[in-house]
Amino acid sequence: MEPIILASGSPRRQETLKMMGIPFQVIIPEIDETNTDNIIAKELPEDLAIKKIKCVIKSLPATQEVPWILSADTLIVYNGKTYGKPANIEQAAEFLDTFSGKTHQVITAMALYNGKVHDYTTRTTITDVTFATLSKDEIDWYLSTGEWHNAAGGYRIQGFGSYFIKKIHGTNSAVVGLPLFELYDMLKEQGYSLISD
Protein backbone atom coordinates (compact mmCIF):
# COMPACT_ATOMS: atom_id res chain seq x y z
CA MET A 1 0.00 0.00 0.00
CA GLU A 2 1.09 3.54 -0.71
CA PRO A 3 2.03 5.70 2.28
CA ILE A 4 -0.38 8.42 3.39
CA ILE A 5 0.39 11.65 5.19
CA LEU A 6 -1.97 12.01 8.14
CA ALA A 7 -2.57 15.70 8.81
CA SER A 8 -3.54 15.15 12.44
CA GLY A 9 -1.90 14.65 15.80
CA SER A 10 -4.85 12.59 17.08
CA PRO A 11 -3.71 9.26 18.58
CA ARG A 12 -7.17 7.81 17.81
CA ARG A 13 -6.83 8.60 14.11
CA GLN A 14 -3.34 7.12 14.08
CA GLU A 15 -4.67 3.95 15.76
CA THR A 16 -7.37 3.68 13.09
CA LEU A 17 -4.85 3.80 10.23
CA LYS A 18 -2.63 1.25 12.02
CA MET A 19 -5.63 -1.05 12.46
CA MET A 20 -6.38 -0.72 8.72
CA GLY A 21 -2.74 -1.54 7.89
CA ILE A 22 -2.18 1.77 6.09
CA PRO A 23 1.44 3.03 6.19
CA PHE A 24 1.49 6.69 7.21
CA GLN A 25 3.54 9.55 8.55
CA VAL A 26 2.14 12.32 10.73
CA ILE A 27 2.48 16.00 9.88
CA ILE A 28 0.55 18.22 12.26
CA PRO A 29 -0.82 21.28 10.47
CA GLU A 30 -0.69 24.68 12.14
CA ILE A 31 -3.96 26.34 11.19
CA ASP A 32 -6.13 29.02 12.76
CA GLU A 33 -9.35 27.32 13.87
CA THR A 34 -10.86 30.48 15.34
CA ASN A 35 -11.62 32.59 12.24
CA THR A 36 -14.83 30.75 11.35
CA ASP A 37 -17.54 33.40 11.75
CA ASN A 38 -18.97 33.20 8.24
CA ILE A 39 -19.14 29.41 8.02
CA ILE A 40 -22.26 27.36 8.80
CA ALA A 41 -21.58 25.04 11.76
CA LYS A 42 -22.26 21.84 9.83
CA GLU A 43 -19.82 22.88 7.09
CA LEU A 44 -17.03 23.95 9.46
CA PRO A 45 -15.36 20.54 9.99
CA GLU A 46 -15.04 20.01 6.22
CA ASP A 47 -13.64 23.51 5.77
CA LEU A 48 -11.05 22.91 8.50
CA ALA A 49 -10.13 19.47 7.14
CA ILE A 50 -9.35 20.99 3.73
CA LYS A 51 -7.38 23.84 5.35
CA LYS A 52 -5.26 21.25 7.19
CA ILE A 53 -4.36 19.54 3.90
CA LYS A 54 -3.47 22.84 2.22
CA CYS A 55 -1.28 23.73 5.20
CA VAL A 56 0.60 20.41 4.95
CA ILE A 57 1.11 20.81 1.19
CA LYS A 58 2.61 24.28 1.74
CA SER A 59 4.96 22.91 4.42
CA LEU A 60 6.48 20.28 2.10
CA PRO A 61 9.50 20.93 -0.14
CA ALA A 62 8.44 22.02 -3.64
CA THR A 63 10.24 19.01 -5.15
CA GLN A 64 8.49 16.44 -2.96
CA GLU A 65 5.75 14.43 -4.60
CA VAL A 66 2.56 14.41 -2.58
CA PRO A 67 0.68 11.17 -3.24
CA TRP A 68 -1.97 11.09 -0.48
CA ILE A 69 -2.91 13.33 2.46
CA LEU A 70 -5.72 12.53 4.87
CA SER A 71 -7.15 14.96 7.41
CA ALA A 72 -10.22 15.15 9.60
CA ASP A 73 -11.97 17.49 11.97
CA THR A 74 -14.64 16.88 14.58
CA LEU A 75 -17.05 19.39 16.03
CA ILE A 76 -20.00 19.11 18.36
CA VAL A 77 -23.19 21.07 17.81
CA TYR A 78 -25.93 21.56 20.39
CA ASN A 79 -28.76 24.09 20.12
CA GLY A 80 -27.03 25.83 17.23
CA LYS A 81 -23.82 26.37 19.21
CA THR A 82 -20.52 24.70 18.35
CA TYR A 83 -18.25 22.96 20.86
CA GLY A 84 -14.64 22.22 19.96
CA LYS A 85 -11.82 21.23 22.30
CA PRO A 86 -12.20 22.83 25.74
CA ALA A 87 -9.53 25.40 26.58
CA ASN A 88 -9.34 24.31 30.22
CA ILE A 89 -10.92 22.03 32.82
CA GLU A 90 -13.55 24.65 33.73
CA GLN A 91 -14.76 24.84 30.16
CA ALA A 92 -14.78 21.03 29.92
CA ALA A 93 -17.03 20.96 33.01
CA GLU A 94 -19.37 23.48 31.35
CA PHE A 95 -19.54 21.34 28.21
CA LEU A 96 -20.39 18.17 30.13
CA ASP A 97 -23.00 19.97 32.21
CA THR A 98 -24.58 21.29 28.99
CA PHE A 99 -24.70 17.82 27.40
CA SER A 100 -26.05 16.14 30.55
CA GLY A 101 -29.40 14.47 29.85
CA LYS A 102 -29.52 15.83 26.30
CA THR A 103 -28.74 14.85 22.69
CA HIS A 104 -26.06 16.65 20.71
CA GLN A 105 -24.63 16.12 17.24
CA VAL A 106 -21.07 15.04 16.53
CA ILE A 107 -19.99 16.19 13.08
CA THR A 108 -16.85 14.58 11.66
CA ALA A 109 -15.50 15.54 8.25
CA MET A 110 -12.63 13.90 6.41
CA ALA A 111 -10.71 15.21 3.43
CA LEU A 112 -8.47 13.08 1.22
CA TYR A 113 -6.02 14.69 -1.19
CA ASN A 114 -5.10 12.60 -4.20
CA GLY A 115 -1.76 13.90 -5.49
CA LYS A 116 -2.13 11.99 -8.77
CA VAL A 117 -5.09 14.12 -9.85
CA HIS A 118 -4.44 17.10 -7.53
CA ASP A 119 -7.95 17.03 -6.10
CA TYR A 120 -9.84 16.57 -2.83
CA THR A 121 -12.55 14.16 -1.82
CA THR A 122 -14.56 14.84 1.34
CA ARG A 123 -17.04 12.97 3.50
CA THR A 124 -19.05 14.30 6.44
CA THR A 125 -20.92 12.21 9.00
CA ILE A 126 -23.38 13.42 11.61
CA THR A 127 -24.02 11.27 14.67
CA ASP A 128 -26.55 11.94 17.43
CA VAL A 129 -25.15 11.26 20.90
CA THR A 130 -27.44 11.17 23.95
CA PHE A 131 -25.92 11.61 27.40
CA ALA A 132 -27.44 10.30 30.61
CA THR A 133 -28.12 12.90 33.29
CA LEU A 134 -24.80 13.50 35.07
CA SER A 135 -24.33 14.46 38.70
CA LYS A 136 -21.67 17.00 39.72
CA ASP A 137 -19.69 14.14 41.30
CA GLU A 138 -19.73 12.20 38.02
CA ILE A 139 -18.55 15.24 36.06
CA ASP A 140 -15.79 15.95 38.61
CA TRP A 141 -14.67 12.31 38.53
CA TYR A 142 -14.61 12.24 34.74
CA LEU A 143 -12.57 15.43 34.56
CA SER A 144 -10.08 13.91 37.01
CA THR A 145 -9.35 11.12 34.49
CA GLY A 146 -7.87 13.71 32.12
CA GLU A 147 -9.76 12.35 29.11
CA TRP A 148 -11.21 15.78 28.40
CA HIS A 149 -7.81 17.04 27.16
CA ASN A 150 -7.71 17.68 23.39
CA ALA A 151 -11.16 16.09 22.88
CA ALA A 152 -14.02 17.76 21.01
CA GLY A 153 -16.78 18.45 23.52
CA GLY A 154 -14.50 17.48 26.41
CA TYR A 155 -15.13 13.73 26.33
CA ARG A 156 -13.95 10.55 24.61
CA ILE A 157 -16.48 7.93 23.59
CA GLN A 158 -13.83 5.19 23.46
CA GLY A 159 -12.80 5.73 27.08
CA PHE A 160 -14.54 6.41 30.38
CA GLY A 161 -16.83 8.81 28.54
CA SER A 162 -18.74 5.76 27.26
CA TYR A 163 -20.08 5.26 30.81
CA PHE A 164 -22.36 8.25 30.34
CA ILE A 165 -23.56 7.74 26.78
CA LYS A 166 -27.11 6.47 26.80
CA LYS A 167 -27.66 6.20 23.05
CA ILE A 168 -25.88 6.73 19.73
CA HIS A 169 -27.70 7.17 16.45
CA GLY A 170 -25.24 7.10 13.58
CA THR A 171 -21.63 5.97 13.25
CA ASN A 172 -19.76 5.11 16.43
CA SER A 173 -16.35 5.29 14.70
CA ALA A 174 -17.11 8.86 13.55
CA VAL A 175 -17.36 9.97 17.17
CA VAL A 176 -14.00 8.31 17.90
CA GLY A 177 -12.32 10.24 15.10
CA LEU A 178 -12.49 8.52 11.70
CA PRO A 179 -15.72 7.00 10.34
CA LEU A 180 -14.54 3.65 8.99
CA PHE A 181 -17.13 2.97 6.30
CA GLU A 182 -16.82 6.47 4.87
CA LEU A 183 -12.99 6.33 4.99
CA TYR A 184 -12.90 2.97 3.21
CA ASP A 185 -15.43 4.19 0.63
CA MET A 186 -13.48 7.40 0.01
CA LEU A 187 -10.16 5.56 -0.44
CA LYS A 188 -11.76 3.00 -2.77
CA GLU A 189 -13.37 5.75 -4.87
CA GLN A 190 -9.94 7.36 -5.35
CA GLY A 191 -8.29 4.09 -6.37
CA TYR A 192 -6.40 3.50 -3.11
CA SER A 193 -6.63 -0.24 -2.49
CA LEU A 194 -6.68 -1.69 1.02
CA ILE A 195 -6.80 -5.21 -0.32
CA SER A 196 -3.28 -6.58 -0.81
CA ASP A 197 -2.55 -8.61 -3.93
Side-chain angles (χ1 to χ4, degrees):
M1 278 186 270
E2 295 173 274
I4 284 179
I5 293 172
L6 176 63
S8 172
S10 163
R12 267 61 51 194
R13 291 177 181 141
Q14 293 172 37
E15 286 163 14
T16 298
L17 293 189
K18 284 177 189 168
M19 181 269 295
M20 295 174 81
I22 296 173
F24 68 94
Q25 72 172 109
V26 173
I27 298 178
I28 300 171
E30 299 291 332
I31 64 162
D32 180 8
E33 297 190 26
T34 58
N35 187 18
T36 57
D37 295 340
N38 299 319
I39 301 171
I40 299 165
K42 289 183 180 180
E43 295 173 0
L44 183 56
E46 183 178 306
D47 183 72
L48 291 172
I50 291 171
K51 279 183 179 172
K52 289 175 182 180
I53 287 179
K54 288 180 177 177
C55 178
V56 168
I57 291 171
K58 281 183 186 174
S59 74
L60 296 171
T63 54
Q64 183 173 338
E65 283 190 30
V66 183
W68 303 95
I69 304 174
L70 175 68
S71 70
D73 197 80
T74 299
L75 192 67
I76 288 174
V77 177
Y78 174 70
N79 265 1
K81 185 179 173 186
T82 60
Y83 296 80
K85 298 167 185 171
N88 50 49
I89 196 167
E90 291 78 19
Q91 190 172 49
E94 287 172 24
F95 287 3
L96 294 173
D97 187 56
T98 299
F99 303 151
S100 173
K102 300 179 184 78
T103 300
H104 59 265
Q105 292 184 313
V106 178
I107 303 171
T108 297
M110 293 180 296
L112 178 69
Y113 177 75
N114 181 340
K116 295 170 187 173
V117 295
H118 305 284
D119 201 11
Y120 303 90
T121 302
T122 61
R123 294 282 193 284
T124 297
T125 61
I126 300 175
T127 304
D128 292 329
V129 177
T130 304
F131 263 56
T133 302
L134 305 179
S135 68
K136 185 180 182 308
D137 285 346
E138 285 173 319
I139 290 173
D140 289 345
W141 169 79
Y142 183 70
L143 295 172
S144 75
T145 69
E147 276 190 0
W148 64 271
H149 284 284
N150 209 31
Y155 72 90
R156 297 196 192 284
I157 194 173
Q158 72 276 28
F160 297 118
S162 61
Y163 292 2
F164 308 129
I165 294 171
K166 193 173 182 180
K167 186 170 67 174
I168 292 176
H169 184 262
T171 307
N172 184 63
S173 58
V175 184
V176 174
L178 285 175
L180 288 170
F181 169 77
E182 288 80 3
L183 176 56
Y184 176 76
D185 191 54
M186 188 165 62
L187 289 165
K188 186 169 73 169
E189 180 189 274
Q190 289 298 310
Y192 184 99
S193 178
L194 291 172
I195 302 167
S196 300
D197 294 331

